[in-house]
Amino acid sequence: AGGGNGSKEITWNVTKVNVPAVWALGYTGAGIKVGVLDTGVNFNHVDLADHMWIDPSYPNHGYDFVNNDNNPMDDHGHGTHCAGTVAGDGTAGSQTGMAPNATIMALKVLNSAGGGTESGVWAAIQFTVDNGGDVISMSLGWQHSWGVDRASWRNSFNNALAAGVIAAVAAGNEGDELSSYPIPDNVRTPGDCPPP
């Protein structure tokens, strides 16, 4: 499925960053486990269903750190969108994934309104490390005015990196709102606390 074989429409964002050239070199995400830390993932979505992490201890392909159960089903939509950006293979018609052969570990850290706790995300980072993840994908963040614990974020990412897990973290959506969010407040935490 997927893999940039030319049989599907490849979305603009994927071609914009020249991903098909990377696929041509053999890098399609095969063998890579990506922990998607977000609102969960619709693991039944046709573009993702055959790319979900399988572990007998976690029958629904991950964990829900909001409700502390084994059902990380997306009840918002954002997490499924992000998982599609990672590994959407185009089964439904449009290939959205940068790494269409990667495996998605669904880690729900945000509720249906998009809210969550820093400690819930730290637990999901540790879960990714403990369960053999290779990459952490996080399109979430806290504004500085919310009183974030930057030291703990940095420690979490340092520990993940020491275990060989890299993190791709969003900066937020305030980048061009300098009148309301002057530098450095235009970059959310943990986007401003990357590992060294």
Side-chain angles (χ1 to χ4, degrees), residues 54-127:
I54 297 172
D55 184 297
S57 298
Y58 300 98
N60 294 309
H61 316 288
Y63 196 77
D64 178 346
F65 293 88
V66 175
N67 300 299
N68 292 311
D69 62 33
N70 277 332
N71 187 10
M73 178 55 77
D74 192 352
D75 54 7
H76 179 280
H78 188 265
T80 302
H81 171 94
C82 292
T85 300
V86 173
D89 67 11
T91 298
S94 294
Q95 186 167 321
T96 59
M98 300 285 175
N101 293 321
T103 298
I104 298 293
M105 185 182 291
L107 302 175
K108 182 173 176 58
V109 297
L110 302 176
N111 63 26
S112 61
T117 65
E118 292 175 282
S119 60
V121 180
W122 300 329
I125 291 169
Q126 188 63 48
F127 183 99

Side-chain angles (χ1 to χ4, degrees), residues 4-182:
N5 61 16
S7 64
K8 308 284 185 197
E9 175 215 5
I10 298 172
T11 57
W12 176 88
N13 59 309
V14 175
T15 58
K16 179 69 175 172
V17 295
N18 207 21
V19 172
V22 176
W23 295 335
L25 297 172
Y27 300 104
T28 63
I32 302 299
K33 280 187 255 178
V34 180
V36 176
L37 283 60
D38 210 286
T39 59
V41 175
N42 177 356
F43 43 80
N44 297 318
H45 191 290
V46 296
D47 286 342
L48 299 171
D50 62 350
H51 297 280
M52 298 306 300
W53 176 60
I54 297 172
D55 184 297
S57 298
Y58 300 98
N60 294 309
H61 316 288
Y63 196 77
D64 178 346
F65 293 88
V66 175
N67 300 299
N68 292 311
D69 62 33
N70 277 332
N71 187 10
M73 178 55 77
D74 192 352
D75 54 7
H76 179 280
H78 188 265
T80 302
H81 171 94
C82 292
T85 300
V86 173
D89 67 11
T91 298
S94 294
Q95 186 167 321
T96 59
M98 300 285 175
N101 293 321
T103 298
I104 298 293
M105 185 182 291
L107 302 175
K108 182 173 176 58
V109 297
L110 302 176
N111 63 26
S112 61
T117 65
E118 292 175 282
S119 60
V121 180
W122 300 329
I125 291 169
Q126 188 63 48
F127 183 99
T128 306
V129 170
D130 291 345
N131 288 282
D134 299 293
V135 177
I136 292 166
S137 173
M138 290 176 43
S139 180
L140 54 81
W142 277 257
Q143 292 181 10
H144 297 169
S145 62
W146 300 346
V148 291
D149 182 351
R150 284 197 189 95
S152 293
W153 281 110
R154 184 66 180 252
N155 288 335
S156 291
F157 286 126
N158 285 346
N159 292 339
L161 187 61
V165 180
I166 62 167
V169 183
N173 298 318
E174 293 82 21
D176 62 351
E177 300 176 28
L178 295 182
S179 60
S180 299
Y181 303 97

